Amino acid sequence: MKDALAQDQDLAILLQKIERRGLMVSSYREPCLLRRLAVRMRARGVHTFGDYAVLLDRVPEEFDLLLDALTINVTRFFRNPETYTVLRQRVVPELAALKGPVAVWSAGSATGEEAYSLAILFAEARGTARIRIDASDLDPTALSIAEKAEYKERALEDVPADLRSTYFTGGSQPRVADAARRLVRTVRHDLTKDPAPAPPYHLIVCRNVVIYFDRPMQERLFQTFVDALVPGGVLLLGKVETLVGPARERLKLEDPRERIYRRPA
Ligand SMILES: C[S@@+](CC[C@H](N)C(=O)[O-])C[C@H]1O[C@@H](n2cnc3c(N)ncnc32)[C@H](O)[C@@H]1O
C-alpha cells in the first residue's frame, strides 16, 4: 500500500489534471471534494488517486460523470417556502415597482426551478415587461433541463396553489408556462472564475452553492456579488449560508432568518 505522502502527491496531481480540464477544484472544500471523488472511484472500482487519474485519460466520458458528482443539482420550486413568502410579500413588489428594466441573477441555478420560481413572482407582481432573469450554472446537463422547463410533479410540491394553476401547463410532466419561461435566460458560468454574466443586477440569488467553496473563494465571490449589485440591490443566500469577508462591510443584513442582504443606496 502506498504511504500517505505518496497518496497526497497523487491527489495533488489528480486535482491539477481536473483543473486543466477547467473545473477549479482547488476552490472547493476538501471534505466535500474527497467524498464526491470517492463516489466516482468506487463506481469505477479504482482504489488510488493515481489509478483514477490514469482512468480519466483513458475514459473521456468519466470527466462528465465526475463533474455531475461534484455538482449536486438538488433543488425544487419555492425551496424553503418561508423565504419565498418574504420575497413575494416584500422584496419582489419593491423591485417590480422600479421604473426601468429589472435584472435578476440566479447563480448556481441547477435545473432552473429557482430561476422560474423568481420569474413567477415577478410575472405576478408586474407582468412580463422588461424583466430578465439570468439562470447560471456550471453544469451543462442541468442547464439543458432548465431550457426544457419540464419537471416532475414532485418538484412542484411547494408551489403556492394560486400560482400552480397559472404558471404550469400539462399533467404528469408539468411545464413552466410561457409567461414565466420567457423571462429566463440560461448561462453556462463558473462562479469560481467567470465575471458576473451581465451586471448590474437588482437581485442576486445564490443559494446552496457557496457551501461547496473554501473560505477564500467565498470571500471573493461575495465581493463579485456586491460589485454586480445596483445600489439598493438585494442579495439572497441559502438558509445555512452567511456572508463572510470584506463584503460584510459593504452590505446591510436586512433579514437574518432568510439571509437577505442589501447594498446601501
Ligand atoms: C444544490 S444546487 C443549488 C440549486 C439552487 N440554487 C437551490 O438552492 O435550490 C448547487 C448548484 O451549484 C452548481 N455549482 C457548483 N459549483 C459551481 C461553480 N463553480 N459555478 C457555478 N455553479 C456551480 C451545481 O452545478 C449545482 O447545480
Side-chain angles (χ1 to χ4, degrees):
M1 183 154 137
K2 283 196 162 186
D3 63 28
L5 183 63
Q7 290 256 35
D8 281 356
Q9 281 170 352
D10 283 354
L11 175 61
I13 292 168
L14 172 62
L15 297 184
Q16 278 167 16
K17 180 186 286 294
I18 298 172
E19 294 223 326
R20 279 201 301 276
R21 301 280 298 273
L23 182 67
M24 303 309 284
V25 275
S26 57
S27 301
Y28 286 61
R29 285 176 54 234
E30 196 170 276
C32 201
L33 185 65
L34 291 178
R35 252 195 331 271
R36 308 257 157 79
L37 265 179
V39 169
R40 286 312 311 154
M41 287 168 61
R42 259 200 313 277
R44 290 287 180 180
V46 298
H47 304 290
T48 67
F49 298 125
D51 287 347
Y52 189 65
V54 172
L55 189 127
L56 272 182
D57 285 337
R58 267 203 354 252
V59 185
E61 62 272 21
E62 178 57 25
F63 188 79
D64 294 332
L65 294 169
L66 176 62
L67 189 70
D68 280 352
L70 289 173
T71 55
I72 298 264
N73 300 137
V74 177
T75 185
R76 56 199 283 122
F77 286 93
F78 291 79
R79 182 177 191 174
N80 304 118
E82 65 286 1
T83 305
Y84 278 91
T85 301
V86 174
L87 286 177
R88 189 177 185 183
Q89 289 174 350
R90 276 212 335 257
V91 179
V92 172
E94 178 208 313
L95 297 177
L98 293 172
K99 291 253 159 15
V102 173
V104 178
W105 180 16
S106 165
S109 179
T111 38
E113 289 89 329
E114 178 178 278
Y116 290 124
S117 301
L118 296 165
I120 289 169
L121 293 185
F122 276 97
E124 270 295 284
R126 91 166 208 176
T128 56
R130 300 167 85 199
I131 300 164
R132 190 193 77 237
I133 298 176
D134 292 340
S136 76
D137 204 276
L138 179 67
D139 182 353
T141 314
L143 289 174
S144 61
I145 294 170
E147 274 152 26
K148 261 180 110 181
E150 256 177 32
Y151 297 93
K152 297 260 181 331
E153 187 64 47
R154 68 168 182 282
L156 274 64
E157 277 167 7
D158 291 332
V159 178
D162 58 324
L163 302 178
R164 166 79 174 85
S165 51
T166 313
Y167 290 98
F168 292 89
T169 57
S172 62
Q173 192 86 327
R175 183 151 203 255
V176 181
D178 274 1
R181 204 151 43 81
R182 273 202 306 269
L183 307 185
V184 174
R185 180 185 86 132
T186 59
V187 190
R188 171 100 197 265
H189 177 274
D190 187 341
L191 286 163
T192 64
K193 57 183 186 203
D194 298 330
Y201 292 100
H202 298 85
L203 171 63
I204 298 177
V205 175
C206 185
R207 305 175 74 205
N208 309 300
V209 182
V210 298
I211 37 164
Y212 293 121
F213 301 145
D214 63 15
R215 169 90 185 221
M217 188 61 237
Q218 290 186 0
E219 292 193 6
R220 246 183 39 222
L221 185 57
F222 290 143
Q223 291 277 51
T224 303
F225 287 156
V226 184
D227 292 338
L229 277 175
V230 295
V234 172
L235 171 68
L236 171 67
L237 301 179
K239 277 246 135 136
V240 297
E241 293 163 335
T242 311
L243 197 65
V244 290
R248 278 173 72 98
E249 311 302 318
R250 302 176 63 202
L251 293 180
K252 209 173 124 273
L253 177 57
E254 195 166 277
D255 186 327
R257 242 166 77 128
E258 305 309 334
R259 302 292 202 264
I260 295 174
Y261 299 83
R262 190 182 289 266
R263 181 171 174 174

